[in-house]
Amino acid sequence: MISIRTVGDMAATIARNLHRIDRNAFDVVVGIPRSGMLPASIIATHLQMPLADPAGYSAGIVHGRSGAPVPNGKRVLLVDDSCNKGRAFARAVQLLPRGTRITRLAVFGPYQVDPASVCDIWFEQVGGPRVFAWNWTKHIRLPRWGFDMDGVLCRDCTKAENDDGERYADFLAHVEPLFLPSRPIGHIVTGRAEKYRAQTEAWLARYGVQFEALHMTPWHTKAERMDAMRFAGGRGGWKAAKARELGVEMFIESCPKQAAIIAREAGIPVFCTDTQEAIPC
């Protein structure tokens, strides 16, 4: 079963474990870019400690309260969001000056190796496969998932744009992207009508979104679609049925109500982009 951790989960895990950080043992919190800067900033703010990144620390650029420059000190709490084999920690350590006293902290420790072999402090071990909400767009398992279109890959249309006419056509052609994956993805399951396939595929191609298949509703008009959806359990029920049929292991959905229906009826975990919450099956 996939384990999902959100930014809220990360913040809560840090808060529960602050007592395990000896604030008198460190001069500065150093976050590993990019993901490590999230927990490093939270930790530094909670403990009212200076904050830096590895290159900045080595150059003497350390941020104190309100961003004021402060001395870098010699005792570093090196922070990353997670670790697996410790390669990111090893690269960061190479950037720090000789003589620096380094303690490596991972919020989410490894599950395939002994955590003590790659970090000094870890707060939680999360089994795999694991998905972190701040990094899901580059996950290696993207081809195994299902994806909503509007509200995930691009923003949702407004009521004014949703006229099934000229304004909607303009929306399809020019809508801004939201979460663009950096790898090929699996199945896009969208409430858009099949008659808009060409416009949808053109937009996906423009933004370099590679996908296995695009599944669209078969109805010709908005009214016809809305009427039919009432008998299909709404869009959430329709997407859940598709998810079951396709055998996807996880779904990315924007609407909280639909996300809950998909998780319940398809029996798979769902990440809701609107709320940034994970809905277990």
Side-chain angles (χ1 to χ4, degrees):
M1 179 61 68
I2 292 177
S3 300
I4 305 174
R5 293 296 183 272
T6 67
V7 175
D9 293 328
M10 176 195 288
T13 300
I14 291 171
R16 288 193 301 268
N17 287 276
L18 275 178
H19 66 281
R20 296 177 54 195
I21 301 174
D22 182 357
R23 61 197 73 195
N24 296 315
F26 308 105
D27 300 309
V28 58
V29 178
V30 175
I32 299 178
R34 294 169 302 184
S35 299
M37 295 304 296
L38 291 171
S41 179
I42 294 171
I43 290 170
T45 303
H46 278 314
L47 301 183
Q48 293 297 295
M49 293 181 65
L51 175 67
D53 64 86
Y57 172 84
S58 299
I61 303 172
V62 178
H63 307 281
R65 188 172 182 178
S66 300
V70 297
N72 55 7
K74 293 292 185 181
R75 303 174 302 170
V76 164
L77 180 64
L78 186 62
V79 176
D80 208 352
D81 61 333
S82 65
C83 63
N84 189 10
K85 297 181 180 179
R87 288 191 289 262
F89 274 130
R91 288 193 296 269
V93 167
Q94 293 300 313
L95 294 174
L96 302 180
R98 287 188 178 184
T100 304
R101 291 173 52 186
I102 303 166
T103 300
R104 303 160 299 172
L105 183 153
V107 178
F108 302 110
Y111 64 95
Q112 296 174 319
V113 300
D114 177 10
S117 68
V118 293
C119 57
D120 305 298
I121 304 171
W122 62 96
F123 291 157
E124 181 185 358
Q125 282 186 274
V126 181
R130 58 189 189 179
V131 177
F132 299 128
W134 52 95
N135 266 336
W136 69 261
T137 56
K138 68 175 187 178
H139 204 286
I140 195 170
R141 298 175 80 93
L142 287 173
R144 306 183 187 199
W145 301 352
F147 299 82
D148 180 21
M149 178 81 189
D150 301 305
V152 174
L153 301 177
C154 65
R155 70 166 174 84
D156 268 313
C157 64
T158 65
K159 288 184 178 180
E161 290 170 322
N162 194 17
D163 65 349
D164 215 18
E166 291 184 4
R167 283 178 290 188
Y168 189 61
D170 185 70
F171 165 82
L172 293 175
H174 302 110
V175 61
E176 304 87 348
L178 277 180
F179 303 98
L180 292 178
S182 56
R183 298 173 182 266
I185 64 176
H187 295 272
I188 300 173
V189 182
T190 174
R192 290 186 183 186
E194 177 66 35
K195 67 178 181 178
Y196 296 118
R197 176 173 292 273
Q199 296 95 319
T200 300
E201 289 182 342
W203 186 93
L204 291 166
R206 183 182 309 131
Y207 286 99
V209 180
Q210 301 177 55
F211 56 94
E212 182 173 341
L214 172 62
H215 306 270
M216 311 181 77
T217 58
W219 304 287
H220 295 289
T221 67
K222 176 184 174 182
E224 183 182 340
R225 183 183 72 237
M226 296 302 291
D227 185 61
M229 282 292 186
R230 282 195 286 268
F231 297 98
R235 294 189 185 187
W238 180 79
K239 291 176 182 178
K242 275 293 180 183
R244 288 196 307 270
E245 174 189 330
L246 297 168
V248 298
E249 68 177 16
M250 177 173 159
F251 204 92
I252 309 293
E253 169 61 45
S254 61
C255 172
K257 182 178 179 180
Q258 292 182 43
I261 293 171
I262 296 167
R264 182 180 68 248
E265 297 187 7
I268 56 175
V270 178
F271 177 66
C272 179
T273 56
D274 273 11
T275 63
Q276 290 291 294
E277 293 177 341
I279 295 90
C281 53

